[in-house]
Amino acid sequence: MNKKFLSAILFGALLASTTGTFTSCKDYDDDINGLSERVDAIEKTLGELNTKFGSLAYVKSVSFADGKLVVTDQNGDATTYNIPDTDTNTTYTLNVTQDGNKATITLTDDKGNVQTKEIEFTDTDTDTKFDPSALVVGKDGVTIEYNGEATGVKLPTLVSNALSVTEFTKDGVTYGWAVRCGDSEPVNLMITDILPLTGFSFEPDAILGGVPSMKALSVEYNAWGEKTSCEPATATGEVWRQSTDKSYISPVIVGKYYLNPSSATKDQIVSIEVLSRDIEYISKTRAADCAPSVDSYSVKDGMLTVNFKANAELIKAVEASEITGFKIRVKTKAGNTITDQDYRGVYATKYTTLVLADKKKKAANPTNHDLYGANSGTAKVAIDKIPDYELSYKSTTGLDMKPLVVTCYKDEATKATHQTMSDKDIESLGLHYEFHLCNYIQGDNGTAQNDYAKIVDGVLYPKLYNETGTPYAAVGRMPLVRVQLMTKDNQVVSTGWIKVEIVKDKIPAEEVEFDYPAFTNQCANKEFKLTVEQMNVKVYNKLGLDRTQFNKEYTIKQISTVEGEANYGKGDGTVALVSDADPTTMTDLLTWTVTQADMAAALAKDGTLTTVVTYAANDPKSRGDVTITFTSKVNAIDAVTIPDNNKIKEYWDANKEYVRLNVAVPDGNNTCTFVVDLDNVFMGNKPAIGSDKYKYVFAAKNITRTDAVGLSGTKYVLTLSDNAETLYANGEEVATIKETTGEISYANTDEAKDLLNVASHSSVPNAFYAWINIKAVTGECELELPITNGEFRAFFLRPINVAAGAGKFQDAVDNGSTVNMLDLLKLTDWRDYEFSPKTNKIYFKFYEVTAISVDLDEITTDLNGGDINTQKLSSVTSELKVTQDAKTFKVTEIPTSPAANAYGTVTYKNNGTAVGAFNLRLPVTVTYKWGTVKAYVTIPVEKTQGN
């Protein structure tokens, strides 16, 4: 196997002596100022690194020594960063070994502590799979990631403001560094061309018939030309007209390949050639007929872009029954020849109906997004619209128009419309955007809007004629920008306009918060009143306004009317405005009122109460709104606990965590109902909670369960009614609780029966249950009364059970050995009371047993030493037969004193050679009022008499 070795040595600066972690600053009890200065220096260094390089950058070189980090970017410009206090370093080593498609990552500190993780690649190409430069320190500063995925190995966590510098090396050669401070995002710097190019992977445009493929892309359009110029300026602006003749952009073929390592550059590549063939299609033309070759190639940030030349007419469309395949072969300066693993499909497609669109509008509405005038070619469409963008009159950075625009198209191959053209396609087609001011006039005096803005490299700036000072007078002007999609030979593919308004700097919106202490649930309303000090200090003064100025700039927003009074709060409760009659010297106050209903609603969640009051700016263009948020929390009254001695122990399990519910006890006159009064499980027939105002409901935790599985194997989703008094399984009723009596009734639905019969009463942990919750209130206004142990499980006991009876078969009996069905079985109820033709005969009618049958095809046996649980009788011999004469009753016909053969018989017959004793395992189904019980009963077969 090919093996690869990678190591990284981790250096920590400003480290203390704690084992296994990068350490923080040394103790400087006598020099706090020095400590602060050093922390500031660290933060400044990291800030400068992040500003210039971001989280990952490819640079020419990096060196770190004597507290100085020197980074030389790809342009050859070197920058030095000072790293304070480089003494007391602790060393960590990160080793990676690769064997086949598995890589083992081992992190070892200088104390001998080791972390080891193994990652597996799905790619079987072991020579080029592992990319050292894809192994970096993640954004959290501790996780070692490979291609953006966590490897499971983590660096020690840094304390706040501690600094670490991580050096990555391979075979003794440094290829990168990572710098981080505390828990901030690290900067990973990968040195270009230190590691030789070893491989690449293709980035497809599409997958066709399982083949990763690239496009042979052409464009059809109708060019635009100027009809009416914007100079001299008019009120209607310029006009452009679209040609009726078709124009075309010849097909371009661009392949994208991720380089390994990603730090490799174009300098390592000597040449690229193209191999071609047909791929898995029956074709009339050979791929080589399209004469593919490499036109040019480039490398940026680890991505190789190859521009191919080919006879596009011989490249088939996406819907064709054939495909062309390209494969590249790269020769490097190191003398290596690297060939793509597979042929890559090439398919012809064409873009039409190209139109400029607003990127923000496209995201909000996939079909209504074109720039103003893009379809008519008239600037007046935009002139008549409200501006979509704003630009501050004193902005020095301007408004970059380039990110605001995208190009939409129709893909003729897939017939998809309103598609957004990728930057890759824009570049490969030789298209680009141009931005120009489009002059027009407004007002009776003909104010030309171009005099208040300029555009440089697609960035719009405010100006005032030829003045160099701050253009105050530009406020309110609305310059128009013409956007054009251009070909490389300066043909206009699409034209549209963007309208911008020059505005004052908007005073930002203000958020004021008042967080009141928590309080206990109460019957009376709870009021929170702003004080005069709070309103003046946290509202008026924060905005730099007095009360009169504030009321001039803002108007409180009414939300609703409650009982004839205005409510200004959006959220819990109501907010009233208490206005002061004195217009100049006094204060307007707000009062937040929370009712008992609001408290109850909050307690049903997490108790949090909140409402928001909005003072809307009277001039939204100059000011943002002021929002005042009130918050508090209502706590439930002291909880009560049901004492153990209040729970009748015979009804509960040993830990008094659950109860068992059963059908009615037979008394000769009643029917088999399933209704239980939950009060009966408590002493005195009620829970001792200090209140008589309570009810039972199904607990909310029922709906998150995943253990509701029926006898049929069906997994059920449990839900509740709005009042939590009905439990459903897959939408069908299972049980209900009657609020007035506390009685729980089991439903007679198929779903309920399937769940009920899943396990016997003696297997309670496996039986079906429901979570019950006691909801109680107390006091005159019926405050919610929390109960610490008010939730418990109620198991529904299966009414009857089936086991093997005393019956047995005799081998080789004339006409077969026949046994009564009721002799084969032993039936018991949920109390383990047996019922048979001799004992408790009335139970057959009470439990409404209507049928007993055997699944003959599923009978198993231990003949010939086989496993009686799995070996079917039919698979051993065809000479041994089991038949049944089963009988079914209507409910009204069930005998009150059934005979042994009342439910039929089962006959065993041997049509072949005499056999010795063995056993049969019969799958038996008993049908009764509450569904079906399925059980396996093992019946002995005695050997042939006389043998």
Side-chain angles (χ1 to χ4, degrees):
M1 283 291 194
N2 175 43
K3 291 184 178 269
K4 295 186 177 180
F5 176 79
L6 177 73
S7 66
I9 301 174
L10 314 177
F11 292 96
L14 305 176
L15 304 175
S17 59
T18 304
T19 301
T21 61
F22 288 97
T23 56
S24 62
C25 309
K26 296 181 295 183
D27 291 331
Y28 285 90
D29 295 334
D30 57 345
D31 193 358
I32 299 301
N33 290 332
L35 173 61
S36 299
E37 290 172 2
R38 192 169 64 259
V39 169
D40 292 342
I42 293 171
E43 293 178 344
K44 183 174 184 293
T45 297
L46 265 292
E48 292 172 349
L49 275 170
N50 272 297
T51 298
K52 184 162 185 174
F53 297 105
S55 61
L56 176 63
Y58 297 94
V59 297
K60 278 195 172 181
S61 67
V62 180
S63 65
F64 178 63
D66 300 327
K68 294 186 181 296
L69 182 72
V70 181
V71 182
T72 303
D73 63 23
Q74 293 197 49
N75 296 322
D77 297 327
T79 305
T80 299
Y81 301 92
N82 293 316
I83 307 296
D85 288 347
T86 58
D87 58 339
T88 64
N89 292 335
T90 301
T91 302
Y92 294 81
T93 303
L94 183 70
N95 294 319
V96 177
T97 58
Q98 184 182 4
D99 192 344
N101 65 340
K102 293 181 179 179
T104 301
I105 302 175
T106 303
L107 179 69
T108 307
D109 65 18
D110 58 1
K111 308 297 183 189
N113 300 312
V114 176
Q115 292 183 52
T116 300
K117 293 288 182 181
E118 185 178 86
I119 56 176
E120 184 172 348
F121 305 113
T122 56
D123 196 327
T124 57
D125 179 13
T126 60
D127 287 331
T128 61
K129 180 60 187 177
F130 189 76
D131 178 3
S133 58
L135 193 71
V136 298
V137 179
K139 291 183 177 182
D140 62 0
V142 296
T143 302
I144 301 297
E145 297 179 351
Y146 184 78
N147 279 336
E149 298 293 332
T151 61
V153 175
K154 291 189 175 184
L155 298 175
T157 301
L158 286 177
V159 297
S160 178
N161 296 314
L163 185 76
S164 75
V165 180
T166 304
E167 181 184 14
F168 295 100
T169 67
K170 178 182 183 295
D171 298 334
V173 178
T174 299
Y175 71 85
W177 301 75
V179 183
R180 64 174 176 141
C181 177
D183 58 0
S184 63
E185 182 177 352
V187 178
N188 289 276
L189 305 170
M190 295 298 159
I191 303 173
T192 58
D193 290 335
I194 287 291
L195 303 175
L197 180 62
T198 61
F200 50 82
S201 59
F202 178 64
E203 175 67 14
D205 292 324
I207 306 295
L208 301 181
V211 179
S213 302
M214 67 187 89
K215 294 178 288 195
L217 176 61
S218 62
V219 171
E220 177 184 293
Y221 67 98
N222 295 78
W224 291 80
E226 185 180 59
K227 180 181 179 182
T228 303
S229 174
C230 60
E231 295 293 350
T234 65
T236 57
E238 62 185 350
V239 177
W240 288 67
R241 284 290 176 261
Q242 194 172 25
S243 171
T244 57
D245 297 330
K246 298 290 185 185
S247 297
Y248 303 90
I249 297 177
S250 300
V252 295
I253 308 170
V254 178
K256 295 282 189 178
Y257 302 84
Y258 291 103
L259 294 181
N260 183 352
S262 54
S263 56
T265 70
K266 182 179 178 180
D267 292 340
Q268 291 199 44
I269 301 174
V270 174
S271 65
I272 302 176
E273 61 177 316
V274 185
L275 309 178
S276 62
R277 57 163 284 191
D278 299 319
I279 305 173
E280 299 180 2
Y281 286 76
I282 299 174
S283 174
K284 295 179 181 178
T285 60
R286 299 292 299 172
D289 292 342
C290 68
S293 63
V294 174
D295 184 32
S296 62
Y297 60 90
S298 61
V299 175
K300 183 179 180 181
D301 294 338
M303 177 70 79
L304 168 65
T305 300
V306 180
N307 298 295
F308 297 94
K309 293 189 298 184
N311 186 340
E313 295 181 357
L314 298 180
I315 296 176
K316 295 300 180 180
V318 66
E319 70 272 11
S321 60
E322 52 194 50
I323 193 169
T324 301
F326 288 0
K327 176 192 286 192
I328 65 171
R329 179 180 292 158
V330 177
K331 294 184 178 179
T332 71
K333 286 183 179 179
N336 298 322
T337 299
I338 308 167
T339 305
D340 201 357
Q341 296 177 12
D342 297 296
Y343 283 89
R344 311 303 179 182
V346 184
Y347 65 94
T349 188
K350 180 169 63 177
Y351 290 172
T352 62
T353 322
L354 273 66
V355 62
L356 290 167
D358 185 296
K359 185 176 183 179
K360 181 173 62 176
K361 293 180 182 178
K362 178 67 167 64
N365 190 325
T367 60
N368 186 15
H369 43 62
D370 297 350
L371 291 188
Y372 295 137
N375 296 301
S376 65
T378 56
K380 190 175 186 306
V381 175
I383 293 172
D384 293 341
K385 296 292 184 180
I386 297 173
D388 286 320
Y389 297 94
E390 294 180 347
L391 173 65
S392 170
Y393 76 98
K394 59 181 182 181
S395 172
T396 58
T397 56
L399 175 63
D400 192 348
M401 309 299 293
K402 297 184 287 296
L404 309 182
V405 180
V406 294
T407 298
C408 295
Y409 64 92
K410 176 183 178 181
D411 190 332
E412 294 295 337
T414 63
K415 305 304 179 185
T417 58
H418 300 284
Q419 301 299 296
T420 300
M421 190 176 293
S422 66
D423 293 340
K424 172 187 172 182
D425 286 344
I426 292 281
E427 180 183 359
S428 64
L429 290 166
L431 298 171
H432 65 279
Y433 297 109
E434 290 188 0
F435 301 89
H436 306 276
L437 279 173
C438 168
N439 206 4
Y440 71 102
I441 59 175
Q442 278 191 323
D444 295 337
N445 292 327
T447 303
Q449 302 301 296
N450 271 16
D451 293 328
Y452 301 93
K454 64 180 179 179
I455 195 162
V456 180
D457 294 330
V459 180
L460 185 68
Y461 298 92
K463 76 177 183 68
L464 180 64
Y465 292 90
N466 295 319
E467 297 295 313
T468 58
T470 302
Y472 300 102
V475 172
R477 309 309 180 184
M478 301 180 188
L480 200 63
V481 177
R482 183 202 321 131
V483 185
Q484 293 182 309
L485 180 66
M486 309 293 294
T487 67
K488 57 186 176 183
D489 54 356
N490 289 321
Q491 293 294 305
V492 181
V493 179
S494 181
T495 295
W497 288 265
I498 296 176
K499 190 176 183 181
V500 180
E501 182 177 7
I502 300 174
V503 297
K504 293 180 181 178
D505 280 349
K506 189 174 182 178
I507 296 175
E510 287 287 350
E511 297 180 359
V512 182
E513 297 182 356
F514 293 99
D515 188 9
Y516 292 97
F519 64 97
T520 301
N521 193 16
Q522 61 187 43
C523 291
N525 292 344
K526 180 72 174 179
E527 286 189 347
F528 303 95
K529 295 182 178 181
L530 283 185
T531 66
V532 172
E533 178 183 0
Q534 287 174 325
M535 193 68 184
N536 280 275
V537 173
K538 298 198 70 174
V539 181
Y540 298 157
N541 195 63
K542 185 175 183 181
L543 292 162
L545 303 171
D546 61 28
R547 178 238 187 181
T548 302
Q549 292 170 327
F550 180 82
N551 289 338
K552 181 180 179 180
E553 296 291 348
Y554 299 95
T555 300
I556 192 169
K557 184 177 179 180
Q558 182 174 336
I559 302 302
S560 62
T561 300
V562 179
E563 297 181 355
E565 300 292 332
N567 166 43
Y568 300 99
K570 187 175 183 179
D572 302 310
T574 58
V575 177
L577 172 65
V578 184
S579 298
D580 201 307
D582 190 313
T584 58
T585 61
M586 301 305 168
T587 304
D588 297 331
L589 299 178
L590 299 171
T591 299
W592 178 30
T593 302
V594 178
T595 66
Q596 168 42 221
D598 298 319
M599 299 177 208
L603 286 171
K605 302 174 185 176
D606 61 357
T608 299
L609 293 160
T610 184
T611 193
V612 178
V613 176
T614 300
Y615 281 90
N618 294 328
D619 181 6
K621 291 184 178 181
S622 64
R623 290 179 176 271
D625 295 342
V626 175
T627 57
I628 299 177
T629 302
F630 296 95
T631 57
S632 186
K633 184 174 183 179
V634 57
N635 293 323
I637 60 178
D638 291 340
V640 298
T641 300
I642 302 172
D644 277 355
N645 61 11
N646 181 232
K647 300 176 180 179
I648 301 175
K649 65 179 182 179
E650 286 78 10
Y651 290 148
W652 295 78
D653 69 299
N655 296 321
K656 295 190 176 181
E657 294 175 345
Y658 63 81
V659 297
R660 294 173 285 266
L661 308 181
N662 52 265
V663 295
V665 176
D667 63 8
N669 297 311
N670 61 344
T671 58
C672 188
T673 58
F674 208 142
V675 181
V676 179
D677 188 343
L678 291 172
D679 277 338
N680 291 342
V681 302
F682 297 102
M683 290 285 292
N685 300 115
K686 66 178 183 180
I689 54 176
S691 174
D692 291 331
K693 299 176 181 179
Y694 65 91
K695 65 177 180 178
Y696 300 97
V697 296
F698 291 105
K701 64 173 60 176
N702 282 297
I703 65 177
T704 60
R705 290 169 49 190
T706 59
D707 59 351
V709 181
L711 178 65
S712 64
T714 301
K715 292 184 178 180
Y716 290 96
V717 176
L718 302 182
T719 55
L720 305 179
S721 61
D722 291 341
N723 62 7
E725 292 175 4
T726 303
L727 178 67
Y728 300 97
N730 290 0
E732 298 298 326
E733 185 177 313
V734 172
T736 58
I737 299 175
K738 192 173 182 180
E739 178 181 351
T740 56
T741 64
E743 291 179 336
I744 185 169
S745 300
Y746 203 76
N748 200 8
T749 62
D750 291 341
E751 291 73 14
K753 292 175 181 178
D754 192 29
L755 289 164
L756 177 64
N757 289 292
V758 72
S760 72
H761 71 279
S762 59
S763 302
V764 161
N766 300 315
F768 177 62
Y769 67 91
W771 279 100
I772 307 297
N773 188 18
I774 304 175
K775 302 286 286 185
V777 295
T778 187
E780 293 182 1
C781 65
E782 297 188 344
L783 299 177
E784 181 180 347
L785 177 62
I787 305 172
T788 61
N789 57 347
E791 287 187 341
F792 59 92
R793 286 185 295 172
F795 283 89
F796 299 96
L797 301 184
R798 189 172 75 187
I800 67 172
N801 301 293
V802 180
K808 55 187 176 182
F809 295 118
Q810 178 69 55
D811 186 63
V813 174
D814 293 348
N815 298 318
S817 176
T818 299
V819 179
N820 295 319
M821 194 75 78
L822 292 181
D823 289 332
L824 288 176
L825 307 178
K826 176 183 178 182
L827 297 175
T828 57
D829 70 2
W830 53 274
R831 302 163 300 170
D832 288 331
Y833 282 21
E834 183 179 353
F835 56 101
S836 70
K838 299 178 181 179
T839 306
N840 297 319
K841 301 177 183 180
I842 193 64
Y843 289 4
F844 287 94
K845 193 168 186 65
F846 178 80
Y847 290 112
E848 297 181 10
V849 179
T850 56
I852 302 174
S853 62
V854 177
D855 188 348
L856 300 176
D857 292 335
E858 296 299 319
I859 296 176
T860 56
T861 181
D862 57 4
L863 267 172
N864 197 35
D867 185 348
I868 197 170
N869 295 307
T870 59
Q871 179 181 257
K872 287 188 178 183
L873 177 63
S874 58
S875 68
V876 180
T877 177
S878 60
E879 297 298 328
L880 304 182
K881 300 288 186 181
V882 178
T883 59
Q884 63 180 331
D885 178 19
K887 295 180 181 180
T888 301
F889 297 99
K890 294 181 180 179
V891 172
T892 56
E893 298 173 348
I894 299 172
T896 56
S897 180
N901 64 351
Y903 289 90
T905 59
V906 178
T907 300
Y908 162 82
K909 183 180 292 186
N910 183 353
N911 295 322
T913 308
V915 296
F918 65 98
N919 295 292
L920 293 176
R921 183 171 175 262
L922 308 182
V924 177
T925 299
V926 177
T927 303
Y928 73 116
K929 177 175 181 177
W930 293 102
T932 58
V933 177
K934 295 183 178 181
Y936 291 94
V937 296
T938 300
I939 307 300
V941 179
E942 296 187 341
K943 69 177 183 176
T944 306
Q945 291 186 0
N947 288 275

